[in-house]
mmCIF file of all heavy atoms in Angstrom:
data_model
loop_
_atom_site.group_PDB
_atom_site.id
_atom_site.type_symbol
_atom_site.label_atom_id
_atom_site.label_comp_id
_atom_site.label_asym_id
_atom_site.label_seq_id
_atom_site.Cartn_x
_atom_site.Cartn_y
_atom_site.Cartn_z
ATOM 1 N N LEU O 20 5.431 3.371 -5.844
ATOM 2 C CA LEU O 20 4.758 4.306 -4.822
ATOM 3 C C LEU O 20 5.527 4.255 -3.505
ATOM 4 O O LEU O 20 6.062 3.252 -3.140
ATOM 5 C CB LEU O 20 3.393 3.850 -4.623
ATOM 6 C CG LEU O 20 2.478 3.713 -5.891
ATOM 7 C CD1 LEU O 20 1.073 3.319 -5.525
ATOM 8 C CD2 LEU O 20 2.458 4.967 -6.691
ATOM 9 N N SER O 21 5.510 5.467 -2.846
ATOM 10 C CA SER O 21 6.091 5.559 -1.533
ATOM 11 C C SER O 21 5.112 6.008 -0.470
ATOM 12 O O SER O 21 4.110 6.748 -0.833
ATOM 13 C CB SER O 21 7.298 6.650 -1.502
ATOM 14 O OG SER O 21 8.230 6.319 -2.481
ATOM 15 N N CYS O 22 5.226 5.556 0.748
ATOM 16 C CA CYS O 22 4.391 5.826 1.895
ATOM 17 C C CYS O 22 5.293 6.225 3.005
ATOM 18 O O CYS O 22 5.959 5.356 3.543
ATOM 19 C CB CYS O 22 3.562 4.695 2.191
ATOM 20 S SG CYS O 22 2.559 4.885 3.679
ATOM 21 N N ALA O 23 5.416 7.535 3.171
ATOM 22 C CA ALA O 23 6.282 8.032 4.263
ATOM 23 C C ALA O 23 5.531 8.340 5.550
ATOM 24 O O ALA O 23 4.553 8.914 5.465
ATOM 25 C CB ALA O 23 7.024 9.284 3.689
ATOM 26 N N GLY O 24 6.059 7.869 6.675
ATOM 27 C CA GLY O 24 5.444 8.059 7.869
ATOM 28 C C GLY O 24 6.117 9.162 8.695
ATOM 29 O O GLY O 24 7.420 9.333 8.595
ATOM 30 N N LEU O 29 7.170 3.270 11.294
ATOM 31 C CA LEU O 29 6.548 2.234 10.466
ATOM 32 C C LEU O 29 7.102 0.923 10.826
ATOM 33 O O LEU O 29 6.475 -0.195 10.589
ATOM 34 C CB LEU O 29 6.802 2.560 8.990
ATOM 35 C CG LEU O 29 5.946 3.694 8.361
ATOM 36 C CD1 LEU O 29 6.403 3.913 6.989
ATOM 37 C CD2 LEU O 29 4.532 3.415 8.492
ATOM 38 N N SER O 70 8.004 -3.249 0.057
ATOM 39 C CA SER O 70 9.184 -3.354 0.880
ATOM 40 C C SER O 70 9.183 -2.260 1.891
ATOM 41 O O SER O 70 8.392 -1.249 1.723
ATOM 42 C CB SER O 70 10.464 -3.207 -0.044
ATOM 43 O OG SER O 70 10.380 -1.978 -0.815
ATOM 44 N N ARG O 71 10.079 -2.238 2.844
ATOM 45 C CA ARG O 71 10.132 -1.239 3.896
ATOM 46 C C ARG O 71 11.503 -0.848 4.108
ATOM 47 O O ARG O 71 12.454 -1.608 4.270
ATOM 48 C CB ARG O 71 9.479 -1.748 5.167
ATOM 49 C CG ARG O 71 9.408 -0.811 6.306
ATOM 50 C CD ARG O 71 8.587 -1.336 7.452
ATOM 51 N NE ARG O 71 9.176 -2.514 7.951
ATOM 52 C CZ ARG O 71 8.473 -3.527 8.628
ATOM 53 N NH1 ARG O 71 7.185 -3.373 8.846
ATOM 54 N NH2 ARG O 71 9.056 -4.659 9.116
ATOM 55 N N ASP O 72 11.748 0.465 4.273
ATOM 56 C CA ASP O 72 13.036 1.006 4.524
ATOM 57 C C ASP O 72 12.944 1.617 5.931
ATOM 58 O O ASP O 72 12.337 2.758 6.125
ATOM 59 C CB ASP O 72 13.454 2.033 3.537
ATOM 60 C CG ASP O 72 14.823 2.679 3.797
ATOM 61 O OD1 ASP O 72 15.346 2.683 4.902
ATOM 62 O OD2 ASP O 72 15.475 3.132 2.806
ATOM 63 N N ASN O 73 13.402 0.999 7.006
ATOM 64 C CA ASN O 73 13.230 1.545 8.305
ATOM 65 C C ASN O 73 14.011 2.805 8.553
ATOM 66 O O ASN O 73 13.637 3.567 9.324
ATOM 67 C CB ASN O 73 13.688 0.418 9.312
ATOM 68 C CG ASN O 73 12.773 -0.776 9.221
ATOM 69 O OD1 ASN O 73 11.639 -0.700 8.963
ATOM 70 N ND2 ASN O 73 13.405 -1.978 9.573
ATOM 71 N N VAL O 74 15.122 3.008 7.907
ATOM 72 C CA VAL O 74 15.911 4.286 8.124
ATOM 73 C C VAL O 74 15.074 5.422 7.556
ATOM 74 O O VAL O 74 15.031 6.510 8.164
ATOM 75 C CB VAL O 74 17.275 4.189 7.465
ATOM 76 C CG1 VAL O 74 18.008 5.401 7.500
ATOM 77 C CG2 VAL O 74 18.041 3.049 8.079
ATOM 78 N N ALA O 75 14.579 5.258 6.412
ATOM 79 C CA ALA O 75 13.779 6.312 5.739
ATOM 80 C C ALA O 75 12.348 6.373 6.290
ATOM 81 O O ALA O 75 11.627 7.243 5.946
ATOM 82 C CB ALA O 75 13.673 6.109 4.190
ATOM 83 N N ASN O 76 11.931 5.391 7.171
ATOM 84 C CA ASN O 76 10.602 5.315 7.613
ATOM 85 C C ASN O 76 9.589 5.386 6.511
ATOM 86 O O ASN O 76 8.597 6.098 6.572
ATOM 87 C CB ASN O 76 10.312 6.436 8.681
ATOM 88 C CG ASN O 76 9.182 6.009 9.623
ATOM 89 O OD1 ASN O 76 9.101 4.894 10.015
ATOM 90 N ND2 ASN O 76 8.477 7.069 10.025
ATOM 91 N N THR O 77 9.814 4.569 5.534
ATOM 92 C CA THR O 77 8.940 4.567 4.233
ATOM 93 C C THR O 77 8.742 3.090 3.831
ATOM 94 O O THR O 77 9.634 2.287 3.867
ATOM 95 C CB THR O 77 9.699 5.312 3.154
ATOM 96 O OG1 THR O 77 9.940 6.720 3.583
ATOM 97 C CG2 THR O 77 8.897 5.346 1.909
ATOM 98 N N VAL O 78 7.552 2.926 3.341
ATOM 99 C CA VAL O 78 7.113 1.691 2.750
ATOM 100 C C VAL O 78 6.910 1.950 1.226
ATOM 101 O O VAL O 78 6.282 2.907 0.882
ATOM 102 C CB VAL O 78 5.920 1.043 3.402
ATOM 103 C CG1 VAL O 78 5.431 -0.103 2.601
ATOM 104 C CG2 VAL O 78 6.196 0.669 4.813
ATOM 105 N N TYR O 79 7.443 1.027 0.373
ATOM 106 C CA TYR O 79 7.324 1.205 -1.026
ATOM 107 C C TYR O 79 6.436 0.124 -1.623
ATOM 108 O O TYR O 79 6.349 -1.033 -1.160
ATOM 109 C CB TYR O 79 8.776 1.064 -1.674
ATOM 110 C CG TYR O 79 9.663 2.074 -1.149
ATOM 111 C CD1 TYR O 79 10.610 1.744 -0.151
ATOM 112 C CD2 TYR O 79 9.672 3.384 -1.685
ATOM 113 C CE1 TYR O 79 11.498 2.724 0.326
ATOM 114 C CE2 TYR O 79 10.585 4.331 -1.130
ATOM 115 C CZ TYR O 79 11.473 4.003 -0.178
ATOM 116 O OH TYR O 79 12.399 4.905 0.335
#
Side-chain angles (χ1 to χ4, degrees):
L20 305 182
S21 300
C22 173
L29 288 175
S70 61
R71 183 171 59 203
D72 183 335
N73 293 331
V74 174
N76 205 34
T77 300
V78 171
Y79 302 97

